[in-house]
């Protein structure tokens, strides 16, 4: 495209779920409730992990980091959507859109990496129990979280810089409730081949790598559990990773569901509705999964509330 035809945009329009005025209060109330439950639930997990000495272990260190990331993850999109509904505006500035997109990618990648790190933690705990404390020392745990942050930031920075090189034409409507990378790239009137290639390569490396790591960890865990002779021993070993396995299944199944729904229906509106599953519902359910399926977390929450739970 010629340089003179390039458009310097000042804002995008987030179309959200529906333009029906009668549905806006319902959507606002529903998402506000889910957002508050998500923030409160994850904050309780963090407070329980910090305040209870019984939870000062690698597993709960990673869990508290995951809870913090989930709060930030939902906070990148939901507050802006609620503000737009309240002010009856669909606008988001160009800078705000790129910033939202960048932070969204940081936190979704952190979710991805932290779930992988937690799978490794469970692998060491079940397959090498005698060396667990020596292997999963505080230095390694801190390093794993730090590397996760660095990789996530680098990925988000790369994708954001790739978007900044694009120009946009007259159609600046994003059929979503937040600035999602693929939706923004599709609005460009520049050649997006390089962006598509980078997105594909990064998806394979940063998506396939962690999934392979999780599958490998659990294949070793299952192999070790099968070698345990007693039923009680097998149940005890499996119960230590049941919560994590539930969260991993929820996270990746909803992510795959969103990808498949967008590919099958070719409807951006359907994709936006499906995206609610992994952007809002999954972070909201994680605290419930860990508190209901984990006796240590339940005990810590009871102590936190003075035994009233």
């Amino acid at each position: 495209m010629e340089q003179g035809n390039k458009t310097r945009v000042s804002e995008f329009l987030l179309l959200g779920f529906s333009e029906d005025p009668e549905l806006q209060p319902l959507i606002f109330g529903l998402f506000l409730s889910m957002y508050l439950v998500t923030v409160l639930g994850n904050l309780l997990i963090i407070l329980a992990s910090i305040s209870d000495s019984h939870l000062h272990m690698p597993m709960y260190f990673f869990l508290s980091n995951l809870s913090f990331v989930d709060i930030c993850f939902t906070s990148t999109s939901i507050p802006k959507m609620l503000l737009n509904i309240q002010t009856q505006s669909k606008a988001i500035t160009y800078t705000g859109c790129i910033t939202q997109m960048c932070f969204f990618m940081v936190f979704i990648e952190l979710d991805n990496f932290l779930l992988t790190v937690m799978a490794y933690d469970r692998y060491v705990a079940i397959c090498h129990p005698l060396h667990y404390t020596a292997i999963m020392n505080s230095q390694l745990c801190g390093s794993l979280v730090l590397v996760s942050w660095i990789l996530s930031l680098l990925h988000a920075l790369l994708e954001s810089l790739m978007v900044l090189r694009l120009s946009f034409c007259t159609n600046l409507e994003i059929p979503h409730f937040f600035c999602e990378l693929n939706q923004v790239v599709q609005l460009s009137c520049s050649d997006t081949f390089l962006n598509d290639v980078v997105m594909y390569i990064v998806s394979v490396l940063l998506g396939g790598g962690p999934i392979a790591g999780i599958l490998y960890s659990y294949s070793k865990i299952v192999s070790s559990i099968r070698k345990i002779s007693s039923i009680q021993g097998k149940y005890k070993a499996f119960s230590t990773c049941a919560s994590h396995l539930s969260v991993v299944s929820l996270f990746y199944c909803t992510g795959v569901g969103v990808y498949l729904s967008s590919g099958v229906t070719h409807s951006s509106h359907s994709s936006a509705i499906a995206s609610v599953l992994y952007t809002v519902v999954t972070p909201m359910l994680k605290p419930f999964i860990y508190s209901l399926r984990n006796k240590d977390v339940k005990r810590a929450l009871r102590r936190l509330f003075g035994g009233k739970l």
Side-chain angles (χ1 to χ4, degrees):
M1 175 168 285
E2 296 298 324
Q3 186 71 21
N5 292 334
K6 291 187 178 181
T7 305
R8 186 178 296 277
V9 301
S10 59
E11 65 180 26
F12 292 98
L13 297 178
L14 296 171
L15 299 184
F17 299 103
S18 172
E19 295 185 13
D20 187 348
E22 294 181 0
L23 287 178
Q24 299 309 304
L26 176 63
I27 294 172
F28 181 87
L30 180 63
F31 277 83
L32 178 61
S33 300
M34 290 194 292
Y35 179 65
L36 292 176
V37 170
T38 300
V39 172
L40 180 60
N42 283 288
L43 273 177
L44 287 175
I45 295 292
I46 294 171
L47 289 173
S49 300
I50 293 172
S51 62
D52 196 310
S53 59
H54 295 87
L55 299 187
H56 292 174
M57 299 163 57
M59 175 181 174
Y60 300 108
F61 169 71
F62 296 132
L63 177 58
S64 60
N65 275 274
L66 184 68
S67 294
F68 172 74
V69 168
D70 281 337
I71 292 173
C72 297
F73 180 43
T74 53
S75 297
T76 59
S77 56
I78 303 305
K80 176 58 180 174
M81 188 194 76
L82 295 175
L83 178 64
N84 281 6
I85 293 174
Q86 192 68 17
T87 58
Q88 298 182 354
S89 168
K90 297 180 181 296
I92 182 171
T93 64
Y94 176 79
T95 303
C97 185
I98 299 299
T99 302
Q100 185 186 65
M101 184 183 67
C102 181
F103 278 107
F104 182 84
M105 286 186 288
V106 168
F107 295 122
I108 196 169
E109 279 303 333
L110 271 169
D111 247 2
N112 194 22
F113 288 132
L114 286 174
L115 288 173
T116 308
V117 168
M118 292 171 78
Y120 174 70
D121 172 73
R122 292 300 82 207
Y123 157 72
V124 176
I126 294 173
C127 299
H128 305 284
L130 299 178
H131 302 97
Y132 177 74
T133 306
I135 296 173
M136 299 303 296
N137 54 66
S138 57
Q139 185 176 356
L140 178 63
C141 292
S143 297
L144 289 171
V145 172
L146 180 61
V147 169
S148 298
W149 272 96
I150 291 171
L151 290 176
S152 300
L153 287 167
L154 289 175
H155 167 232
L157 183 61
L158 172 64
E159 297 285 13
S160 299
L161 291 174
M162 292 294 294
V163 172
L164 287 174
R165 59 180 279 276
L166 299 177
S167 59
F168 297 88
C169 300
T170 54
N171 180 23
L172 300 175
E173 295 181 343
I174 300 174
H176 222 300
F177 63 96
F178 67 95
C179 289
E180 194 264 336
L181 174 63
N182 193 45
Q183 297 287 345
V184 174
V185 171
Q186 286 179 12
L187 291 180
S188 174
C189 50
S190 303
D191 182 8
T192 61
F193 175 75
L194 187 57
N195 294 72
D196 294 334
V197 170
V198 169
M199 277 193 286
Y200 177 77
I201 293 173
V202 168
S203 296
V204 171
L205 293 177
L206 299 187
I211 290 174
I214 291 171
L215 290 175
Y216 176 79
S217 296
Y218 273 102
S219 68
K220 292 294 184 181
I221 288 170
V222 170
S223 178
S224 294
I225 291 176
R226 289 180 63 186
K227 293 177 182 177
I228 300 173
S229 56
S230 68
I231 299 296
Q232 186 178 1
K234 288 182 178 181
Y235 176 79
K236 186 177 179 181
F238 179 76
S239 65
T240 62
C241 56
S243 299
H244 176 259
L245 189 58
S246 300
V247 169
V248 166
S249 301
L250 183 65
F251 179 78
Y252 287 109
C253 287
T254 52
V256 170
V258 170
Y259 176 78
L260 292 177
S261 68
S262 61
V264 171
T265 63
H266 299 288
S267 168
S268 298
H269 183 70
S270 299
S271 178
I273 294 173
S275 296
V276 175
L277 290 174
Y278 77 90
T279 57
V280 185
V281 175
T282 299
M284 182 181 69
L285 291 179
K286 284 178 188 177
F288 291 102
I289 292 172
Y290 275 104
S291 59
L292 292 175
R293 298 184 67 93
N294 191 299
K295 293 179 181 179
D296 292 332
V297 174
K298 280 197 279 190
R299 283 195 214 100
L301 289 172
R302 287 196 192 98
R303 293 191 190 99
L304 188 64
F305 286 96
K308 294 180 181 179
L309 288 179

